[in-house]
Amino acid sequence: MNNVFIGCKGIPANYGGFETFTDNLVTRKKADSIQYYVACISNDKNKQDEFDYNGSLCKNIFVPNIGPAKAILYDTKSLKWALEMIDKRALKHGYVYILGCTIGPLINLFKEKFKDRGFKVLLNPDGHEWKRDKWPYPVKVYLKLSEKSMVKSADLTICDSLSIKSYIENDYSQFNPKTTYISYGSDIVDPKLNLKSEKVRTYFSSKQIHENEYYLVVGRFVPENNYETIIREFMLSNSRRDLVIITNYKGNKFFDKLKKETAFDKDKRIKFVGTVYDAELLKYIRKNAFAYIHGHSVGGTNPSLLEALGLTKLNLLYNVGFNNEVAGNSALYWDKSDTSLSKLINRVDNFNDEKRNDFFEKGKEVVTKRYTWDSIINKYEELFTDNAIS
């Protein structure tokens, strides 16, 4: 079965849920009958080559930086490449899996062509992309309409969260959309690096942080991940520990806005440390945090949350449906009301190891029972090979 992926920025993955998902699906493939084709985005006009990645055929597709329309152009060029590639290789039967709802009404220009070639269209709607604060109002309106068009046109909508699945079924009930639930996955794998590792000691020394003496935030630097609330509330707390923020903040206007409005630069506990692309180092940082603070308010099952449940002893989550759905009683919750998070930080700051370990065992159990990559791969490969999608 031939499966073409549209909407993944690129593999091998660095950050991003779709990228992490696609990378794992390709890398951990079990069924010899499945072949993957992945459209990757390229910022280099001269880098538009095809390449092999763990047995999958990947294509670098150049897209100039034209603002919000960049994603639409990428999807359009990717779908054109998919058609050309299917014809060139004389592929018969398969799926075109579109990650995200950016392409909108334009999907109808392609769907019949794919159908004529024996390919069905699958959709992963992600989360509530149209709610993201980074988008101006006209873009939000377009994204909501685009989501509607995609759900209407897709042969199957695959949701990584039961909350998102329920939303799709309720908001678009007039289309009677065919949906299914398959989550993202994670692994509980202790970092290979240890306390005495030169890489660890160099990093911790350069950032002036110490094991078990920091709260951790990891995620894209966007307003809907509640950075402002987290920073304000941490500054209100009595904790003597640091707040270590791993994100791509450099050159981001949001960073300057936060600094101006919160004056976090005057609080020595607040430490923006940039990005960490070394997977083992990031695992070590997660493993040795006193607690992880998760502020994601838009999306489905977030990979960063799954990693935290499997590695970090204590997790403090923004109280929204899909976070609660994933973690249940293995985490503690806060909201955006004044002092909600700061009071929670003050409370847990005195937790002993036994108390934190209780939460840790619950978190690992959640990942082990419901979110292992092995089980997720099995579900996808069963879907791709059973030809049950009408």
Side-chain angles (χ1 to χ4, degrees):
M1 186 61 68
N2 299 292
N3 302 287
V4 185
F5 282 71
I6 309 292
C8 164
K9 292 185 178 67
I11 52 176
N14 284 323
Y15 281 123
F18 283 149
E19 293 70 42
T20 302
F21 158 69
T22 306
D23 195 331
N24 277 279
L25 203 62
V26 164
T27 304
R28 299 168 186 251
K29 183 170 75 82
K30 300 178 182 180
D32 293 335
S33 60
I34 294 176
Q35 177 63 49
Y36 291 117
Y37 305 85
V38 183
C40 303
I41 197 167
S42 171
N43 298 317
D44 186 350
K45 187 184 296 185
N46 298 316
K47 188 179 181 182
Q48 301 188 65
D49 56 321
E50 292 183 349
F51 63 96
D52 178 274
Y53 178 70
N54 286 330
S56 66
L57 175 69
C58 302
K59 168 69 173 178
N60 281 317
I61 295 174
F62 170 69
V63 184
N65 191 4
I66 54 174
K70 181 176 182 179
I72 302 172
L73 181 58
Y74 158 69
D75 281 352
T76 304
K77 294 179 73 172
S78 297
L79 289 167
K80 287 181 178 178
W81 166 74
L83 283 170
E84 293 169 359
M85 186 268 301
I86 288 169
D87 289 343
K88 180 181 177 181
R89 293 173 173 264
L91 303 181
K92 303 294 182 184
H93 307 295
Y95 300 106
V96 177
Y97 192 6
I98 302 176
L99 307 173
C101 295
T102 310
I103 192 70
L106 296 178
I107 187 58
N108 293 319
L109 299 176
F110 295 94
K111 184 178 178 182
E112 287 304 314
K113 296 177 182 179
F114 286 122
K115 184 178 179 181
D116 290 342
R117 291 160 173 80
F119 280 74
K120 293 183 173 67
V121 173
L122 310 182
L123 167 68
N124 187 314
D126 197 11
H128 303 300
E129 181 68 23
W130 52 275
K131 284 186 175 181
R132 294 190 185 277
D133 293 336
K134 68 177 181 178
W135 300 126
Y137 180 73
V139 176
K140 289 182 177 181
V141 171
Y142 168 79
L143 289 172
K144 179 62 175 173
L145 292 172
S146 181
E147 180 182 84
K148 181 178 180 179
S149 296
M150 290 295 295
V151 171
K152 182 179 180 181
S153 298
D155 293 296
L156 176 69
T157 298
I158 304 172
C159 304
D160 62 79
S161 159
L162 291 171
S163 298
I164 298 299
K165 183 176 182 289
S166 177
Y167 155 73
I168 293 293
E169 291 170 345
N170 292 331
D171 271 41
Y172 303 113
S173 58
Q174 68 269 36
F175 305 136
N176 193 26
K178 186 171 183 178
T179 64
T180 191
Y181 163 68
I182 306 178
S183 182
Y184 286 138
S186 187
D187 289 314
I188 300 177
V189 180
D190 283 339
K192 296 175 183 176
L193 300 176
N194 58 46
L195 179 70
K196 297 181 179 179
S197 163
E198 182 179 350
K199 184 183 292 185
V200 167
R201 297 276 53 90
T202 298
Y203 182 85
F204 274 60
S205 176
S206 67
K207 305 303 181 184
Q208 296 183 304
I209 57 178
H210 304 278
E211 284 85 348
N212 202 44
E213 290 300 323
Y214 58 90
Y215 290 77
L216 180 66
V217 178
V218 182
R220 285 194 299 167
F221 195 53
V222 289
E224 58 269 19
N225 285 350
N226 281 309
Y227 281 96
E228 182 173 353
T229 299
I230 292 171
I231 289 171
R232 286 187 185 279
E233 291 291 312
F234 194 88
M235 291 173 68
L236 284 174
S237 78
N238 299 322
S239 178
R240 294 183 179 181
R241 293 181 168 90
D242 293 325
L243 177 64
V244 174
I245 302 173
I246 296 178
T247 190
N248 54 333
Y249 72 93
K250 293 183 179 178
N252 193 316
K253 293 180 180 179
F254 181 46
F255 178 79
D256 297 325
K257 179 176 180 288
L258 272 182
K259 184 189 292 186
K260 181 178 180 181
E261 294 182 356
T262 68
F264 68 76
D265 54 317
K266 294 181 172 58
D267 190 326
K268 293 182 179 179
R269 298 174 300 170
I270 312 296
K271 295 180 177 179
F272 280 85
V273 298
T275 53
V276 178
Y277 291 126
D278 185 315
E280 288 302 318
L281 179 57
L282 184 57
K283 287 178 186 176
Y284 185 90
I285 295 169
R286 285 188 180 280
K287 183 77 173 177
N288 290 278
F290 179 81
Y292 171 70
I293 303 177
H294 189 72
H296 293 53
S297 64
V298 176
T301 301
N302 184 266
S304 186
L305 173 55
L306 295 181
E307 291 167 13
L309 291 176
L311 283 170
T312 312
K313 288 185 176 181
L314 184 61
N315 294 282
L316 315 180
L317 314 183
Y318 178 63
N319 196 4
V320 68
F322 41 82
N323 289 341
N324 213 305
E325 171 194 321
V326 171
N329 67 356
S330 71
L332 296 171
Y333 297 88
W334 52 275
D335 57 43
K336 295 198 333 186
S337 62
D338 289 347
T339 72
S340 173
L341 178 56
S342 59
K343 286 181 178 178
L344 180 58
I345 291 170
N346 286 340
R347 178 159 70 93
V348 304
D349 209 48
N350 295 314
F351 277 10
N352 57 27
D353 285 344
E354 182 180 359
K355 184 79 169 177
R356 289 165 64 227
N357 279 327
D358 286 343
F359 281 100
F360 187 36
E361 292 304 318
K362 291 178 183 177
K364 288 192 295 183
E365 185 178 7
V366 165
V367 175
T368 301
K369 286 187 174 181
R370 296 168 52 196
Y371 297 104
T372 63
W373 273 121
D374 187 62
S375 66
I376 304 306
I377 301 305
N378 287 341
K379 289 177 182 177
Y380 264 101
E381 294 199 353
E382 181 180 350
L383 184 149
F384 289 147
T385 56
D386 70 3
N387 295 314
I389 302 174
S390 57

